[in-house]
Amino acid sequence: MSLGDERETSGGYGGTGQTRTRLPDTDTDPYGAPRRAPRSSSRSLVTVVGVVVLLIAAIAFANRGDGGAESSDPGGDKAQSSATAPSGKRPVGAKTSGIPTGYSQDEQGAQSAATNYGIALGSADMYNTKKRHAIVNTVYAPDVAATQLSAFDQVYSRRSFLEKLGLNEDGVAPSGQTFVSRVIPVGTKVTSFGGSTATVALWYTSLFGLSGEGSTNPVTESWYTTTYQLKWVAGDWKITDFTQEDGPVPVGRDQRASTAEDMTKAVEEYGGFTYAR
């Protein structure tokens, strides 16, 4: 996803605690970024739709704070390059609203939290009001959650936004089609750690669109990196802020796309994972 000048979005939670809400322009994508030139008229909407899956990018345009994002150290310890190697630790056993919770207060726990929270925030459940509220209240720090809820609701309840995706006003796919919004993590790395605070970058691919006969928004694949600021709150890691960007994007193979029927069947039959270091 190209967010243009809006690509790196950072809230003010760690600084002033202030946010401001900006709704998207009518001739831009759902996050306020100029649309890329389409390769065909049938692809223009697909480009816009592909933008949506960028995890919590649904509110990237809505939460621009006054503080800057914490930057990573490009010359940091080489151990970061293998940060996603298995640790041997058992995954968390608890769940809140279906989301794994109860992570260890260390770098591995922060990576696991960022990954599982990112999956939840990029899921189709975010288009259901009740489920969206449960997700946000689970993954965000309490002092941030209320503001995030308001921003998310502004986006996901907009009729024009849902119509662009081919969904009805309740965020449900048309009869005979399946809405797909899924994040598949590739790796994580810790860019800073302070005991009670952590910054974790999550690299992932995502699937987004409508599968089924007659869909004008077929399921497409995209690649992104989202960097989360986390803090230790009441015995667990919680999100306070984030930045995001495109890629890294691999070279695509020349593979034949699956039929709408096969894609729908796969989405319905293959479940997701609980990720842990």
Side-chain angles (χ1 to χ4, degrees):
M1 171 191 304
S2 174
L3 295 181
D5 294 336
E6 302 295 322
R7 172 176 292 173
E8 295 190 359
T9 305
S10 176
Y13 308 121
T16 63
Q18 299 177 347
T19 61
R20 57 179 181 266
T21 300
R22 180 173 65 82
L23 296 179
D25 298 327
T26 57
D27 57 351
T28 58
D29 69 27
Y31 310 107
R35 299 182 183 179
R36 295 173 179 170
R39 284 174 288 190
S40 68
S41 59
S42 63
R43 290 288 183 178
S44 60
L45 183 56
V46 173
T47 301
V48 176
V49 173
V51 170
V52 182
V53 76
L54 213 182
L55 221 56
I56 47 178
I59 60 164
F61 72 90
N63 285 305
R64 290 182 57 86
D66 297 325
E70 184 174 357
S71 61
S72 60
D73 179 9
D77 193 331
K78 288 187 177 180
Q80 292 181 356
S81 64
S82 60
T84 318
S87 67
K89 288 190 175 183
R90 298 182 62 176
V92 295
K95 285 189 176 183
T96 303
S97 299
I99 304 170
T101 54
Y103 300 93
S104 55
Q105 191 176 2
D106 53 22
E107 293 189 14
Q108 295 177 3
Q111 289 178 78
S112 297
T115 303
N116 286 314
Y117 292 168
I119 291 170
L121 288 165
S123 70
D125 286 344
M126 288 294 290
Y127 293 79
N128 176 283
T129 301
K130 183 177 180 180
K131 293 179 179 179
R132 177 171 66 249
H133 286 202
I135 291 172
V136 174
N137 284 322
T138 297
V139 307
Y140 275 96
D143 58 336
V144 175
T147 300
Q148 294 294 336
L149 272 175
S150 176
F152 273 118
D153 286 343
Q154 280 189 350
V155 176
Y156 287 101
S157 62
R158 292 191 63 180
R159 184 186 297 270
S160 59
F161 172 76
L162 296 172
E163 287 178 349
K164 285 182 179 179
L165 309 183
L167 304 175
N168 64 27
E169 60 184 10
D170 296 320
V172 178
S175 177
Q177 297 183 14
T178 300
F179 178 46
V180 181
S181 182
R182 185 176 295 192
V183 165
I184 305 98
V186 176
T188 59
K189 68 174 180 179
V190 175
T191 59
S192 70
F193 186 79
S196 60
T197 60
T199 303
V200 179
L202 172 65
W203 178 35
Y204 61 94
T205 183
S206 61
L207 302 178
F208 190 88
L210 290 171
S211 66
E213 295 298 333
S215 171
T216 57
N217 306 322
V219 178
T220 57
E221 176 190 31
S222 301
W223 292 81
Y224 309 105
T225 297
T226 296
T227 301
Y228 292 101
Q229 281 75 54
L230 306 171
K231 73 176 179 180
W232 189 254
V233 180
D236 208 356
W237 290 108
K238 300 294 180 182
I239 298 172
T240 59
D241 199 5
F242 72 93
T243 59
Q244 56 196 15
E245 59 185 7
D246 280 356
V249 182
V251 176
R253 292 180 61 86
D254 185 15
Q255 293 179 290
R256 181 172 59 87
S258 298
T259 65
E261 181 181 0
D262 287 343
M263 181 61 69
T264 299
K265 184 178 180 181
V267 170
E268 293 174 346
E269 292 183 351
Y270 290 86
F273 295 95
T274 294
Y275 287 79
R277 285 272 286 111

